[in-house]
Amino acid sequence: MNLLEILAVGVVATAASDIWQQAQRPVTGIPAANWPVTGRWVLGWREGRFYDPMIGSRTRLKGEATVGWLFHYLIGVIYGGIYLYLAYAVFNTLPTLLNGLIFGLITLAAPFLLMKPALGGGLFGLKAPEPRKGLFLSISAHAVFGVGLYVGELLYRGLV
């Protein structure tokens, strides 16, 4: 495992999730994640606002879209590194479609238990205006992220 492998796996997986979010929208009507709002949330940390249920009504900040997208891909790369470490060093196995999918679903802990509550949506986003849509999008996007981890590894190895 090396930095290039981690970057490849994390970026491919995150891009797969983003592509899925755009592809499902015409069928389900569920909008993709709003990364500029995530950027506004991250920028608010400087002022001590980690819990920010009023984030949607706050004034837009300069650079929030860039910060949100960079944060999103940084998290994807970090997850890619954790996934590869677990596969290789802890479980002494190769990345597979199944362990990628399982890891992708495990990453739901962050939005369900941290991000959604911090933004006022409650645990699992159940206090959001349309919690079922949010649950579908989160679960499906993280499942696709997990598949993307495996595809990213295949691409890195030149097997695709």
Side-chain angles (χ1 to χ4, degrees):
M1 176 175 70
N2 61 57
L3 184 57
L4 184 58
E5 182 178 11
I6 293 168
L7 285 169
V9 168
V11 168
V12 167
T14 306
S17 173
D18 290 336
I19 291 166
W20 163 251
Q21 290 184 57
Q22 295 302 324
Q24 63 76 40
R25 186 177 184 171
V27 176
T28 66
I30 301 170
N34 189 333
W35 299 119
V37 168
T38 299
R40 190 177 316 150
W41 177 54
V42 170
L43 290 169
W45 297 350
R46 296 179 298 188
E47 298 169 8
R49 280 195 319 264
F50 184 78
Y51 177 72
D52 194 355
M54 303 305 295
I55 192 78
S57 62
R58 291 199 184 282
T59 304
R60 292 181 180 169
L61 300 173
K62 182 179 178 182
E64 70 181 29
T66 302
V67 169
W69 280 99
L70 287 173
F71 181 76
H72 171 55
Y73 273 81
L74 173 64
I75 295 299
V77 169
I78 290 169
Y79 282 160
I82 294 169
Y83 167 68
L84 291 172
Y85 174 77
L86 289 172
Y88 292 138
V90 175
F91 296 111
N92 196 28
T93 188
L94 294 172
T96 66
L97 181 59
L98 181 59
N99 63 30
L101 179 61
I102 291 168
F103 184 82
L105 292 172
I106 289 169
T107 64
L108 281 164
F112 282 171
L113 303 175
L114 181 70
M115 189 173 179
K116 289 178 184 277
L119 298 179
L123 286 174
F124 302 95
L126 294 176
K127 290 183 178 178
E130 296 184 81
R132 289 183 185 183
K133 287 184 177 184
L135 285 168
F136 169 79
L137 183 62
S138 293
I139 293 167
S140 64
H142 282 252
V144 170
F145 175 82
V147 171
L149 291 168
Y150 177 62
V151 171
E153 178 64 17
L154 292 178
L155 289 169
Y156 173 77
R157 299 239 177 248
L159 299 174
V160 175

